[in-house]
Amino acid sequence: MLFQVFALLASCLLAVQGLSLTGSRTLVVHDDKNVPSADYSKFVTLLKGHSLELSFVDVSEEDVDTIELFQMEDRKYDNLIVFPIKGKLLNKKVSSKALLQFFDKGGNIFTMTSPNAVAEPLRNYLNQLGIYPSPKGQQLVDYFQSDSAEEVLKVSSNLLQNRFVFESPDGKTSFSFGKSSVALLDNREQIVPILRASQTATINGKGDEEPWIEAGSQGYVVTGFQGLNNARTSWVGSVDFLKDESFNTNDQFISELIKWTFQEKSVIKSTGALHTHADGTPYDTLKYKVNDEVNYKVGLSEWVDDKWVPFVADDVQFELRQVDPYYRLTMVGAETDGEVQYYTTGDFKLPNRHGMFTFLTDYRREGLTFIREADVRAIRHLANDEYLRSWAITNAWVYMATIYVVIVSFVAFLIIFLTTSSKDKKATVTKKTN
Amino acid sequence: MSGKSTSARTGASGAQLQSEWAAAVAWMQTVLKVAVFGSIVVAAVSSRLFAVVNFESIIHEFDPWFNYRATKYLVENSFYDFLNWFDDRTWYPLGRVTGGTLYPGLMTTSAAVWHLLRRVGLPVDIRNICVMFAPAFAGVTAYCTYKLTCDIKDSRAGLLAAAFIAIVPGYISRSVAGSYDNEAIAITLLMLTFMFWIKAVKRGSILFGTCAGLCYFYMVSAWGGYVFITNLIPFHVFCLLLMGRYTAKLYIAYNTWFVIGTIASMQIPFVGFLPIKSNDHMSALGIFGLIQVFALGQFIKQQVSYKKFKIITAVSLVVMMVVGVLGLFALTYMGLIAPWTGRFYSLWDTNYARIHIPIIASVSEHQPVAWPAFFFDSHFLIWLFPAGVFLLFMDLKDEHVFIIAYSVLCSYFTGVMVRLMLTLTPVICITAAVALSKIFDIYLDFSQILFQEDNDDAEGGKKNKKSEGAKIWPLVSKLVVSGSFIFYLYLFVYHCTWVTQTAYSSPSVVLPSSTPDGRTSLIDDYREAYYWLRMNTPEDAKVAAWWDYGYQIGGMADRTTLVDNNTWNNTHIAIVGKALSSPEDRAYEILKEHDVEYVLVMFGGLIGFGGDDLNKFLWMIRISEGIWPEEIRERDFFTDRGEYRVDSGATPTMKNSIMYKMSYHGFPELFGGEAQDRVRGQHITQGDVGELHYFEEAFTSTNWMVRIYKIRDLDNEGRPLSQVSAATKAKSKRRAAQRRPQIELRV
Amino acid sequence: MRGNYLYSCLTAVVLLVSSVLGATVEQFAAEVAKSGHNIIQLTDSNYKKWLGGTHKVPRGANVLALFTTTALEFGCQTCLKFEAEYDALVQSWFNDHPGGVSKEDPEKALFFVKVSVMKPGQIPNAFKYFNLEHIPKLLFFPAGGRIDDYQSLDLPQEEGTMRVTYLITALKGAIGISDYQLYVPTDWSSIGVTMFAVFALVYLVRKHYAFLGTLLASRALWAVCSVAFIILMISGYMFNKIRGVPLAGSGPHGEVVYILENEFQSQYGIETQILAVFYGLLAALVVGLSMGIPKLNNYYQRRSDGTFIVAVASIVLAVAVYMFFAAYTNVYSTKQGGYPFKLFKVSALF
């Protein structure tokens, strides 16, 4: 209790470094017997620096029974940090189903495993996400670095995979991992690989078991996951990575990883898409018809530290779809108003095809929030009087002339016929004789 | 007749009396005629009201729902908007150029009626106008038929024909109250056009020719079946030409009709240039040419000697034949004239549709007719019909040729396609009326007997004994013959009423049924389900269902549909068919691609409703097989022994299809694990019906007839949905977790 | 003579053995050579031999078996039509491959067998063995299998050469060969008949030109023809043609049933004929009443008992109309059970 009060005070005292967009109520689940919290004071300090409201639960204490993540239907916490926990301790206290539910409801989860402690619920949860951490007893080693498995494993920063999570300023540092497990990853687009194991790494485990990876490049030591609801989970293969003694190399990375996981960075939003006729008339006033010139605009903002700023990118695309895309245009930056950067397609011509079209911006980049702005609108055909009129088509002049010539000559014929018909009778009779 | 014989007898002295007598008779006749007509119209309208009396004032079936929706659109918007209406709530995502692909005659007529009544100060709800539209027009049809038959025989036959058409079930089938369909107005216009055409031919009148042309235009604007007129009138003219009955009257009538009718019909957007491009219309164009040649021939005949004329005729005939045939081939080959449309093919080559166009073959209206339908729809008129045609041959005036041509052509078409029973019915009525009135002319005419009586009195009792017999026997025979036919007429009325009541007065949106204890109850599942859709789904939700229900979903639930009864795009229909006959994951992909949120299926297994989707399923398969033969195969849905099974013996493909799963989802559980499908008479067990992973049941109506499923969202974690429920169910498996997962390498 | 004797001995031995073992290509070829039509006719005693095979000696060749009947009692139109097509299929194969062996791949051979039902009561055992309920049925027995290794071949909907072509394609796929071509035998008889008919027609037209003219202009002929056509159409002729329904059905005890009872939307072929007779008679009676009786009246006007004769004639006609109409409604009420307005049968009086 005292610990918590202290933490709260400390967080208030510290300058605002970053603010989670989704909330700051954070639960830290740890097992003091397995991972003594004393070794992680720097990490805790770091967390406090992120202005998170921390609550701690030590599962090794007997009096803790189930950990309630929910109050009725609502989440009690916004973020969850799970330290490696030994054996069945976690089983009773929090289930993999609860973790999934927590994630589905938008909670962010930061997890670690270590080669000697992979709690079952956590593994099941990660497996559902398509992250498969190596089982207990299999440890990642790199014999090119050192002959002994006890040595500290280092992973170079040029194996970093995602610049939205962390981009090493020099690219030359290596992060110390200590004893680390490794994960295989599924091929889903929600998975954000962060740090790969080095190519030379391999598995050191019990002899009879199948090694988790065949080549180092298959495995990952740090990975993230972002659900379709934009909640984030990250997993670190080694708890030693967060130890105080590793902090001199890892601090920046850890800080950025926490920021990413708890939605303090790489969060973008759309302020809405707008499409109009080229002259600015909105759809509701005048519906689109085929071959109309229209203009599409979407505004994007990015959450930086504690405020929204314009999001700048050069790969925002617009699609005009009817099952398949008819257009895919890369938009260019237009005006910006301090918070929002607007992107526009400029004027473009609608296809010569009527139907229901989706005006779509589907911006998905690994590590960034998924953005989808879809608007289904009808593009109508030309009305009966919107085609070129006959007198405007030069080719039609011939036919029009013919029509009038026929009319005039018919009238003329009638007049002549009626006025002269009586004279012709004789001619008929004479002809008949031949 | 009686007037004539009287005048012969009374002589000049009774001239005064006679003229008064004649005036009185004429007056009586008029009063009687009006009275008869009044009752015919009342009978026509009231016999069509069973549906409203038994159920309620509601639009029936499928197509009328679209017509109703279109009429509402027309009433709410301007005619210009209606003409250029782009409907974004059907055929998602293609949309439908509705204004350009419908026959606007029906909607404009009822909108005109609506506006007129408002102007008069009688604001009537548009729905009521639509419901009562068909009965009202049935009265008009009776009048047109009367006029037409008057021109064929006389007013006696005319009254009979009018009475027949007023209550004959073949016509009622498509014109009961609430059956707001194109046919409701089309038959009236058909009769009107024919009436004017006969008048034009008889009199050689430009006025009537023009009227026929204008009515034809109205007909074109109202019903696709106008092609029948387009071919029948030229056929009539052609027959007359062959019979050597070319006259200037015919020339005038045909030319006025053709020119005005064709040019006017081209103003309908849906028809456009068809009259000069499509082969359906070629006969009219050809006869137009031919009749000019005949006119020219007549002219030349007057100018030159017979010998020369013969040579000219022979040469020009050969030249014309060659040029004509070559030209037709060349134009078709170059694609300038359209190939014959599919529906037309199915009339001539009866196997064409079955093999090549399953979408046409699947429609029950396009099926051939077994004989009971004819009797059912026209009672004893059906055997008077051939007799009437034969009797017309005895006179064989120009107009009789028309009726004969109509009878022969239309009886063939009806045999091929049941929906054309509707066009055959009027001619059955006319010819039967001709036959019957001929009989009544003879056997209901007692004037001779009365006249003989007078004569006997004058001559005295000399021949009394002989004349006794001569008087009694004709009377008896006349009474027997006319009595028996009057008895048939009496029976006819009963038959018609019975048929109308039992067969043609169900709105098919609401189904009648009886409870186990004998009370009648209504099955109102359709409306229940559509109402649920309307109230519980987002307004822009897309609903996938087989095309039969498209119009109803659009009209009653007001939700966007993928396909509907306007089957203009076979591929799009095949997409829905493919989705319904595919396993879940494939179907999910297809439906998601089309933004579908709800899937609606009909299931009749619980109450034994035969017209459900599983019974239509084979057509869905066939139609999609036509487009994707390598993905959907009809063969896979039949057992090895060629049976269509839905119980445990069903093929895996059948059991995996979402149509099967959606129909039977939860059905066996309802009866504790094993249930009998009352339509197919097979037992479904719990093990047969696989679980649904990608869809969840959203709504099932009271009698389980309509089942609506919601498509699940994509999984937040990106797992295939089939694994999601497995994951939530399965206990954590330690063993499995220890083994390396079988996943593709990350690239 | 001796050879013949040896041959028959050998055949007997082979027959004995082969009731257990599958037949080899040579045996097939020999049997085919023996039978005139290149098709092996199967009987109860030999069908297991030609279709069968065991683990040790599997079937040596691919076999296509047709189960059919040409017996008229069954009224199987498709069977009759397919008969000639099957022949064309077989002859096309043996035309290129007299020994029944594919030229591309001598390992692959194809032979054809046929099982026919001769009489309704005598269903061959093979039908029972394969559980067949519908004919014609094509079963394909791939080489190397046993009697239960077969697949059913669909009979395409199209008729004539198209169907044979489809089947050839299917067989090519099933066996895995490509040297199978269709040879359509030139039907000289048909050409001859057509030519003769055309010649005769032209000759007759030329000779009886005037008569033909009167015939064509004959109103009565046209009237009868068109009325007959209409009657055919309204008695469901097109339904028979399109649906290809059988002429008549059979009841639960094998008796012939002419009218498909309580089936409003379907019918047998013979119903059209029954109905056409009804319509024809009723129409004739009505015509008689409206045209015949007045003529009769004119004819007998001078005679003293004329009115009586005319009256009796018209009453007879009217009664006849009633009788036929009553019969008609009774036929109808078998089609639609519970039809309330059928007429009282006159015959029920007696």
Side-chain angles (χ1 to χ4, degrees), chain B residues 512-635:
Chain B
S513 81
S514 53
T515 52
D517 56 338
R519 281 178 296 118
T520 51
S521 67
L522 297 181
I523 295 174
D524 207 356
D525 283 34
Y526 286 106
R527 285 198 295 177
E528 185 190 344
Y530 295 141
Y531 192 71
W532 183 89
L533 269 180
R534 185 185 269 270
M535 301 314 285
N536 294 289
T537 60
E539 209 166 304
D540 60 346
K542 284 94 193 167
V543 182
W546 190 234
W547 62 262
D548 294 21
Y549 315 107
Y551 279 163
Q552 288 185 346
I553 295 172
M556 286 195 254
D558 193 26
R559 291 293 173 268
T560 309
T561 54
L562 254 65
V563 291
D564 64 27
N565 310 47
N566 174 269
T567 51
W568 65 275
N569 190 325
N570 193 19
T571 314
H572 213 57
I573 289 178
I575 288 174
V576 177
K578 185 182 172 188
L580 291 174
S581 46
S582 299
E584 266 195 281
D585 49 345
R586 251 330 265 132
Y588 184 75
E589 234 170 77
I590 298 168
L591 295 172
K592 264 284 171 203
E593 214 168 52
H594 290 83
D595 300 344
V596 172
E597 281 148 65
Y598 291 90
V599 181
L600 181 147
V601 294
M602 298 285 159
F603 173 64
L606 186 69
I607 52 158
F609 171 69
D612 67 350
D613 276 350
L614 271 176
N615 273 6
K616 294 173 184 167
F617 194 30
L618 280 182
W619 289 111
M620 308 182 194
I621 296 161
R622 271 174 212 158
I623 289 168
S624 42
E625 188 183 9
I627 308 276
W628 296 280
E630 67 289 342
E631 286 175 66
I632 307 284
R633 273 179 303 272
E634 191 183 344
R635 190 78 201 78

Side-chain angles (χ1 to χ4, degrees), chain A residues 103-104 123-124 128-129 135 186-188 212 214 228-229 322 353 355-356 381 383-385 428 432, chain B residues 80 84 86 88 93-94 97 301-303 715-719 727 732 737-741 743 745-746:
Chain A
F103 182 72
D104 281 340
R123 164 196 298 287
N124 276 334
Q128 290 300 320
L129 305 188
D186 209 343
N187 252 333
R188 297 178 204 175
W212 205 245
E214 279 141 4
L228 291 182
N229 61 351
Q322 186 186 74
R353 168 165 182 77
M356 305 289 290
H381 61 293
N384 65 323
D385 56 353
T428 333
K432 188 83 181 172
Chain B
Y80 177 85
N84 295 306
F86 180 75
D88 55 9
L94 306 172
V97 185
K301 210 173 176 181
Q302 285 168 12
Q303 308 293 318
D715 182 48
N716 188 33
E717 283 83 31
R719 298 165 289 180
S732 55
Q738 300 288 9
R739 211 163 292 143
R740 231 177 83 177
I743 49 173
L745 279 185
R746 203 178 158 84

Side-chain angles (χ1 to χ4, degrees), chain A residues 88 96-97 100 103-105 120 123-125 127-130 132-133 135-136 138 184-188 190-193 209-214 218 220 225-231 283 287 322-324 353-358 366 372 376 378-386 427-428 431-434, chain B residues 73 80 83-100 269 299-306 308 540 542 560 568-569 572 575 590 593-595 713-720 723-724 726-747:
Chain A
K88 288 166 184 161
S96 66
K97 213 183 271 181
L100 255 181
F103 182 72
D104 281 340
K105 291 202 175 218
E120 210 52 43
R123 164 196 298 287
N124 276 334
Y125 167 68
N127 285 357
Q128 290 300 320
L129 305 188
Y132 301 92
K136 201 173 153 184
Q138 295 208 8
L184 283 169
L185 298 185
D186 209 343
N187 252 333
R188 297 178 204 175
Q190 281 97 329
I191 291 178
V192 185
E209 272 176 17
E210 186 190 14
W212 205 245
I213 52 171
E214 279 141 4
Q218 285 177 354
Y220 292 81
F225 185 93
Q226 178 173 289
L228 291 182
N229 61 351
N230 290 322
Y283 177 86
K287 293 193 170 156
Q322 186 186 74
V323 183
D324 304 311
R353 168 165 182 77
H354 53 76
M356 305 289 290
F357 282 84
T358 311
E366 258 178 24
R372 185 183 162 87
V376 181
I379 297 177
R380 69 169 171 85
H381 61 293
L382 289 179
N384 65 323
D385 56 353
E386 282 168 348
T428 333
K431 265 185 189 169
K432 188 83 181 172
T433 50
N434 57 5
Chain B
Y73 186 88
Y80 177 85
L83 200 64
N84 295 306
W85 182 19
F86 180 75
D87 192 349
D88 55 9
R89 300 191 66 82
T90 57
W91 292 95
Y92 184 86
L94 306 172
R96 176 182 169 197
V97 185
T98 311
F299 177 72
I300 292 172
K301 210 173 176 181
Q302 285 168 12
Q303 308 293 318
V304 300
S305 69
Y306 183 65
K308 279 194 178 172
D540 60 346
K542 284 94 193 167
T560 309
W568 65 275
N569 190 325
H572 213 57
I575 288 174
I590 298 168
E593 214 168 52
H594 290 83
D595 300 344
D713 284 331
L714 286 169
D715 182 48
N716 188 33
E717 283 83 31
R719 298 165 289 180
Q723 289 176 17
V724 173
T728 49
K729 260 184 211 155
K731 291 258 170 192
S732 55
K733 286 176 204 145
R734 262 197 93 134
R735 288 266 157 246
Q738 300 288 9
R739 211 163 292 143
R740 231 177 83 177
Q742 297 295 316
I743 49 173
E744 286 172 40
L745 279 185
R746 203 178 158 84
V747 279

